[in-house]
Structures are given as structure tokens and as C-alpha cells.
Amino acid sequence: MTRQTSAPDLPVTHDAEVDQLFSAGGSLSLAIPGFHPRQSQIDMARAIADAISRQGTLLAEAGTGTGKTFAYLVPALLWGGKVIISTGTKNLQDQLFLHDIPVVRKALNVPVSVALLKGRANYVCHFHLDRTQQNGRMTAREDVGYLREISRFMKTTSTGDKAELSKVPENALIWNLVTSTRDTCLGAECAHYQDCFVMKARKEAQQADVVVVNHHLFFADVALKDTGVAELLPAANTVIFDEAHQLPDTATLFFGETVSTSQIMELCRDVLAEGLTHARDGADWAQVVTTVEKAARDLRLAFPSEGMRLAQDQIAESSPFFPALEHLKVMLQQMTETLAGQAERAETIELCRVRAIELAMQLANWTAADSKTQTDVAAKVRWSEAFSASLQLHQTPLSVAPIFSKQREGPPRSWIFTSATLAVKNDFSHYSEQLGLGGEPALTWPSPFDYAQQALLYVPTDLPQPNSPSYTDAVIDAALPVIEAAGGRAFVLCTTLRAVKRAAERLREEFAQRQHPWPLLVQGELGRTELLAQFRRAGNAVLIGSQSFWEGVDVRGDALSVVIIDKLPFAPPDDPVLAARVAEMEKRGLNGFMDHQLPEAIINLKQGAGRLIRDESDRGVLMICDPRLISKPYGKRIWQSLPPFARTRELAAVQQFLQASEAIVSPESEPR
């Protein structure tokens, strides 16, 4: 795709109205405390209004602080017709629905109706709640109390959305027992169908002018037709993807297919419960499920250790894996036949039979000799991933562009893709090619923040290569004086969970020895939301996290003054999908590293770096420890894609910056 760094001539259709709305005396500033005009926000809103008016597509990269949410909401609410807004996370979904849209709607005084639509696992299911209360199949001790809270909640809620019940943690195991999945939903056969919260949410979405979904929901629907978006999309005039940089990964996840031994074990638990409840005399249910469970466990044990990821053609022919897989198929078939003989006795037994057939088909597809064309075969990679107690078998498309392009066919509508990180040095070609958006207009609006004054990029000297066994220890040695100069108030962002664990061990030891009072918060020891809440409350904490803290985290003010990144976030070299994609690109004469791995790493790094400066008054240090940023020829391309930080390699300059209120190094000077 042609690089675009300046806006094309835009029609004047809505320019004057946009200018007036965002002006100092306009509707937004009169209605929203603290609102003030930002030229980049006005320009972005104009471009989106233009894309909506011509039913076109726009890729819109807006630097942190541009105010992209209002920039797309204003034209969407005024001129977008039926609008679907898809966000990166459920948290952002709630933020839009509960805060941002009501604020803009009130400021504009427009009578648009808004609905929130989530995946079915977010809504309490009357049928599964009743069943859990009756049979008491609890998976954890605290579930009894949680179940009581959910029962109380059901008497007062109008939505059934579990996000409204803060007394039960979002990751509590009880939710699996009181919500439905596509496989366990009885649909119109359910006695509670008229009261079903999932159906109510879908009906509201059908009737609303603006519907807020998330990427997982959007693509799950495209793949499974199970979320209600399928009915919404034909009527939509405008589709807006916020946090659009996540789309290629999310689409890859849902346009692929995964079957796991965990799904089979879960089916076995349900078969046992339903068989004993409705057809106790129909079979020796314990024996029926035990043979399948053992076969599933044996398949997992065919992989010697957890964390292994192998493409299908990397699994040795002599491995016990293939015989174990064939045996599991036979045992699953026998259980399916038993279920078929008893299916008339209860709808839930029939549901188990259908699930068993679907799982058997997925297992068969994973090993079947392809009868498709060679092009189709080349478009997917089959691979396996072992966890401590389960094995997943994946079929992943090498490119989602053809599938996603097909979804965008049909009646004309506008498609807006926006994020702070879509381009590499203003070049959108990598992102465009991933989604089949080549040739579509793409614009960048830089952040209004003064990075040269507000922030410092620090690359320490004398660190070993990232593949060194002692690399994480060296990172902590270099980071400690920076953390001490900041008085805590730091994020340590790691590229692997192993590095998180080692960094936590080291910092615990160092803080104890040096008697530092700063709270140490570590990913995995608490939920993400609680860790962030504690970090903000403490004001001087150090938080260590991996990928889930690289984006979607907003800590403003003095609580966060340093972001330390251990390595450039290249995808792991053992990733079978990456290896297959690189091989495919190189067949076409492209460079897998420069054309795929490097742009991916840059976009990820921009997300991590974006945690530092969140407000016009924020100041801080971004410390990137990886020596490749300086030593490799591609390093320049990486740091030139970041905001224009002042830069240094001197620890003293960092300490001085953190203690003083002036910038140290000119942003024009290159790191040495």
C-alpha cells in the first residue's frame, strides 16, 4: 500500500459542523468539564465524518492523547446511521457504554438508542443456575457463597450481566456452571427461553441505533454465527473498530479451529451428570466416561512436557501421539453411540450427543488427508500446544485477509479502523495486508503530548544479548537504580512469564535487602484489575507483568513514572504459525523478518511504550533494555517509530531527569 502521511482533500460536507462542535464555545466544551479543542482530534473527526458520508473505509492512527474516542463518536452519533462499535476488551466496552457514549450523546443532544452486547458467557443462564443449585456440582470451596450471591443478584438484575455483580470475581470457577456456551444452550427448547438474558440483549441490539460489542464477539459471530452480530451486520451503516491493532490476532483465533482435551473432559463430566440424572438405568455411565477421560489424558501424556508447541509435521511418526489420538477417536465414538441410545430421554443428553459428534469431527479434521485444493491446504497450519493438564490441537489460517475481505462484501457501509498503533513510521502496509485493506485511505495524527520535554528514552549500556541465560538478572541490575531514583512508581514489562517470575524473585530479594518500602505487585498473584487498583492506590508500587499489561492500561499522574521493557517483543521462534507464515512469505520473495516479524514487534513495542505518558502533565522514563535497539541495523527503524522522546544512554541523565523538571537530551540526537 502507498504510504500516506498527509490527509487527502476532504469534502466539506461536515467540516464546518465538526469544527463548531469541537471549538472552544461548541457543544462539547459547554457540556463536558475540562474539554478543550485539539486540532488533531478535529482533523480526525473530519476524516471519519467524510468516510461515513461516502460509505468508505478509513485506517486512522491517533497518537495517545488525541482523543480518538470522541473523534469517532461525534460523527458516528450524528451521521453514522445504524452503528456497530467493536472494542478491544470488555472493560473498554463497558467504558464506552456506561460513560463515553452517554457523555457525548448528552452534549450533542441526539436521541440515539444504545445497546451493549456481550458473549453469552457474560450472562447468567436461568437453566444452568437452576441445575447447579439442584445438583450442587461445585468445583471450589468458595463457590457455595458465590452461588448464593448470584441467586440474590438474579432477583434484582434486568440484564443478567455478570459485570454488575462485583461480589463474585470475574474469574471465579462458578461462572462456568451458571452460564451457557454455544454447545450447552438449549435454545428455543429451554423452559426459560422467554426470560433469557442473552436473547433479551440480542433483541435490544437489533432495535438500537448504536451497538457496542468487542472484537472477540464480532469474530466469534463471523466464525460461529452465535453472538447476534450476524443479524446486526446487514442493517449496519457504519462499523467502527477501536483498538483495531488487535484485529489480525483476534481474527486469526476465530477463523481457525481448536479442539482440546479439556473440552472432552468437560463433556465427560456433563455426560456423567446427565446420564445419572435422566437415564440411570441406560448405561454404566461411570464406565462410559472413564474410558474417554483416560484416552484424553493419554493423548496429553504423549507430549513429555508442558509448553511444547509443535506443527503437525514436527511430531515424529514414532511418537505415541498418533496412536493415542486414534484411540481417543474410537472411545469418543463409543460414548456417542451410548448417548444416541438414550438421547430421547432428555434434551440435555441429546445436547451431549451433538457435542460429542462435533468434537469427533474436529479431531478427524485435524488429521484428515485434505481433499481441498492445494491453495486451501497451504492457507492453514495444523499445530499442537501442551499445557500442564491439557493438549490443544489447532488449525490456524496463515492469512485472514481473504476471509475478512469476504465479510466486508455486501451492501456499502463505512468501515473505520482506529488505534494508537497501526503503522510503522507512518507506513500502514503491514497492517493493511494482514486484513486485506490494501489501497484504502490511511491517516496518522501524532500525539499532542510534548515527548521531548515530558519523557526520556533510556537504553542502558553493557547489557548481554537477550538469549543469554543471565539476561533477566542483568536487566534487573540495570533497572534497580532507575527504580530507586523514581521511588518505585514503575512498570516492569516482560516478554515471557518466565522472565516475570525471575524478575519478581530478584526484586523481592533486593527490596528486602535494601529495605525499600515499595509494594511489589506481580502478574498471576492477583487478577489484572485488582493489581492495577492496588498500583494506583499505593502511589509508589512496582508492578511486574507480561503481555496483558502492555496495552489497555491507563495510569495517569505520579503513580507511574518509569516503564521498563526487558526485550523487544518479537514473537517466540518456536511459534509454528509464525514459522509457516515466514516460509510462505519467503516463497513469494519477501523477507519474513523485515516484512512481518519486525513490523509486528514495532507495533507491540509502541503499545508498551504508550503506557508511560497518558496526560499532558505526566513525566517519565521509558527504559528499553534490549541492546539490539542500538547494535542491529533495524534498531533505528524501531526507535524512529516511537514518539519523539528525548534520548540518552547515561544513567546519570535518567537520575537527573527523574529528580529535576527539565528535559535532558535533544530528541534530534540519535542514541549512540
Side-chain angles (χ1 to χ4, degrees):
M1 179 180 167
T2 307
R3 180 179 303 180
Q4 289 181 279
T5 56
S6 60
D9 293 334
L10 298 174
V12 294
T13 325
H14 297 300
D15 285 7
E17 292 162 279
V18 167
D19 290 355
Q20 193 281 323
L21 290 165
F22 283 89
S23 68
S27 305
L28 296 174
S29 61
L30 291 175
I32 302 168
F35 181 88
H36 59 272
R38 281 171 271 192
Q39 192 57 49
S40 55
Q41 186 180 48
I42 296 169
D43 291 343
M44 182 178 175
R46 281 177 166 197
I48 289 172
D50 169 63
I52 288 173
S53 68
R54 61 182 169 78
Q55 295 183 312
T57 296
L58 177 67
L59 281 67
E61 182 182 71
T64 309
T66 303
K68 64 182 168 65
T69 306
F70 283 13
Y72 68 69
L73 281 180
V74 168
L77 296 191
L78 287 174
W79 307 297
K82 174 90 173 183
V83 181
I84 297 174
I85 301 175
S86 182
T87 71
T89 62
K90 284 184 287 188
N91 287 344
L92 186 53
Q93 217 184 333
D94 287 334
Q95 164 79 13
L96 270 170
F97 179 72
L98 298 171
H99 180 262
D100 295 340
I101 294 176
V103 164
V104 174
R105 180 174 56 181
K106 186 178 177 186
L108 300 177
N109 194 23
V110 286
V112 297
S113 56
V114 187
L116 180 69
L117 187 60
K118 296 182 180 179
R120 62 168 70 249
N122 292 277
Y123 302 98
V124 182
C125 168
H126 293 85
F127 171 76
H128 286 284
L129 176 62
D130 287 353
R131 194 174 73 154
T132 302
Q133 287 173 320
Q134 287 164 18
N135 66 26
R137 281 192 301 152
M138 303 298 165
T139 51
R141 187 182 301 169
E142 59 270 22
D143 282 353
V144 178
Y146 290 156
L147 187 61
R148 200 176 302 120
E149 292 293 346
I150 294 168
S151 300
R152 287 195 195 116
F153 169 66
M154 288 291 273
K155 291 170 185 167
T156 57
T157 180
S158 60
T159 67
D161 185 349
K162 69 181 190 181
E164 294 175 7
L165 182 58
S166 57
K167 291 181 180 177
V168 180
E170 189 183 353
N171 57 355
L173 294 172
I174 188 67
W175 289 120
N176 296 330
L177 299 178
V178 299
T179 55
S180 71
T181 65
R182 175 171 169 265
D183 294 331
T184 62
C185 173
L186 297 177
E189 302 295 321
C190 181
H192 302 279
Y193 187 72
Q194 296 302 320
D195 300 317
C196 174
F197 291 121
V198 173
M199 292 302 126
K200 282 182 179 176
R202 290 183 183 180
K203 191 174 178 184
E204 283 179 20
Q206 286 282 358
Q207 297 166 350
D209 300 308
V210 177
V211 186
V212 184
V213 301
N214 62 59
H215 302 337
H216 279 256
L217 186 70
F218 189 92
F219 285 111
D221 185 81
V222 169
L224 306 172
K225 300 290 181 285
D226 182 50
T227 69
V229 177
E231 293 85 24
L232 292 174
L233 198 53
N237 307 102
T238 304
V239 181
I240 299 173
F241 291 105
D242 197 347
E243 301 296 309
H245 64 278
Q246 297 178 4
L247 290 182
D249 285 345
T250 310
T252 298
L253 176 70
F254 283 103
F255 292 152
E257 189 176 278
T258 297
V259 59
S260 71
T261 56
S262 295
Q263 288 173 283
I264 292 166
M265 300 296 269
E266 190 177 309
L267 171 65
C268 287
R269 285 194 293 272
D270 289 344
V271 167
L272 182 60
E274 300 307 330
L276 292 176
T277 303
H278 300 290
R280 185 175 286 270
D281 58 342
D284 182 348
W285 294 105
Q287 180 60 30
V288 168
V289 303
T290 298
T291 54
V292 179
E293 286 175 336
K294 182 179 185 305
R297 278 194 292 269
D298 287 345
L299 181 64
R300 162 61 192 89
L301 292 172
F303 282 76
S305 61
E306 65 176 288
M308 286 186 73
R309 306 170 77 172
L310 293 174
Q312 188 185 61
D313 57 11
Q314 291 178 310
I315 303 172
E317 286 184 24
S318 58
S319 164
F321 168 81
F322 292 106
L325 181 57
E326 291 307 311
H327 181 62
L328 175 57
K329 289 181 194 174
V330 172
M331 293 300 101
L332 197 54
Q333 175 60 29
Q334 288 179 7
M335 184 168 81
T336 306
E337 289 166 5
T338 304
L339 288 166
Q342 304 298 320
E344 289 183 359
R345 298 177 72 169
E347 181 66 32
T348 49
I349 294 180
E350 167 61 11
L351 207 59
C352 287
R353 184 188 75 85
V354 171
R355 284 165 65 190
I357 290 170
E358 286 185 2
L359 288 169
M361 282 177 60
Q362 287 178 294
L363 290 174
N365 287 343
W366 199 82
T367 50
D370 284 283
S371 56
K372 305 173 194 172
T373 67
Q374 190 56 39
T375 330
D376 289 335
V377 176
K380 280 188 180 176
V381 57
R382 292 169 175 170
W383 58 287
S384 55
E385 186 170 17
F387 297 91
S388 57
S390 72
L391 180 73
Q392 292 183 346
L393 304 179
H394 305 273
Q395 290 190 73
T396 303
L398 291 185
S399 171
V400 297
I403 315 170
F404 187 60
S405 295
K406 195 166 183 211
Q407 299 308 318
R408 294 177 63 236
E409 291 172 359
R413 61 174 64 94
S414 53
W415 297 81
I416 311 296
F417 300 82
T418 185
S419 167
T421 54
L422 295 178
V424 176
K425 284 185 67 184
N426 294 327
D427 181 356
F428 289 81
S429 55
H430 174 67
Y431 183 80
S432 298
E433 285 159 15
Q434 284 182 300
L435 291 179
L437 300 172
E440 300 290 5
L443 299 169
T444 295
W445 294 273
S447 168
F449 298 151
D450 186 351
Y451 281 92
Q453 296 299 316
Q454 289 179 247
L456 183 65
L457 170 59
Y458 170 48
V459 183
T461 56
D462 302 325
L463 258 73
Q465 288 304 305
N467 58 2
S468 159
S470 59
Y471 183 75
T472 302
D473 286 292
V475 165
I476 296 304
D477 289 339
L480 260 169
V482 178
I483 294 170
E484 288 172 334
R489 303 186 299 146
F491 273 6
V492 180
L493 300 180
C494 302
T495 51
T496 64
L497 291 173
R498 184 183 299 165
V500 168
K501 186 180 175 189
R502 180 58 189 154
E505 287 170 358
R506 276 290 316 277
L507 284 179
R508 243 184 217 112
E509 291 167 10
E510 298 288 351
F511 284 9
Q513 283 175 14
R514 302 175 189 215
Q515 299 185 324
H516 290 319
W518 313 314
L520 190 63
L521 305 170
V522 183
Q523 179 179 334
E525 294 181 0
L526 287 169
R528 182 174 182 264
T529 306
E530 181 56 27
L531 282 172
L532 286 169
Q534 287 195 20
F535 185 87
R536 290 188 185 101
R537 276 198 305 269
N540 64 347
V542 176
L543 187 151
I544 309 174
S546 68
Q547 192 60 47
S548 61
F549 287 90
W550 283 63
E551 58 181 278
V553 174
D554 191 1
V555 179
R556 298 176 187 225
D558 293 339
L560 180 61
S561 292
V562 175
V563 171
I564 298 162
I565 292 176
D566 70 337
K567 290 182 188 178
L568 297 175
F570 289 110
D574 67 340
D575 184 338
V577 180
L578 173 66
R581 280 183 176 154
V582 167
E584 187 67 23
M585 290 179 80
E586 291 181 347
K587 275 185 207 166
R588 292 186 280 130
L590 297 170
N591 182 308
F593 179 78
M594 295 301 290
D595 295 324
H596 182 75
Q597 290 170 272
L598 184 60
E600 285 284 289
I602 289 172
I603 288 170
N604 274 337
L605 186 66
K606 284 170 71 175
Q607 278 292 327
R611 298 316 98 212
L612 182 64
I613 303 296
R614 307 297 299 174
D615 196 86
E616 289 167 353
S617 59
D618 283 356
R619 288 175 53 79
V621 172
L622 172 65
M623 177 178 175
I624 303 179
C625 299
D626 197 321
R628 291 174 294 183
L629 192 64
I630 306 299
S631 64
K632 297 292 184 183
Y634 57 76
K636 184 173 182 179
R637 189 174 172 202
I638 295 174
W639 60 256
Q640 284 183 340
S641 296
L642 295 172
F645 289 93
R647 296 189 278 269
T648 187
R649 302 205 69 193
E650 306 297 329
L651 176 60
V654 174
Q655 292 165 326
Q656 186 182 345
F657 179 90
L658 288 167
Q659 291 157 9
S661 58
E662 60 186 39
I664 310 303
V665 182
S666 162
E668 283 76 31
S669 63
E670 293 192 15
R672 294 180 303 282

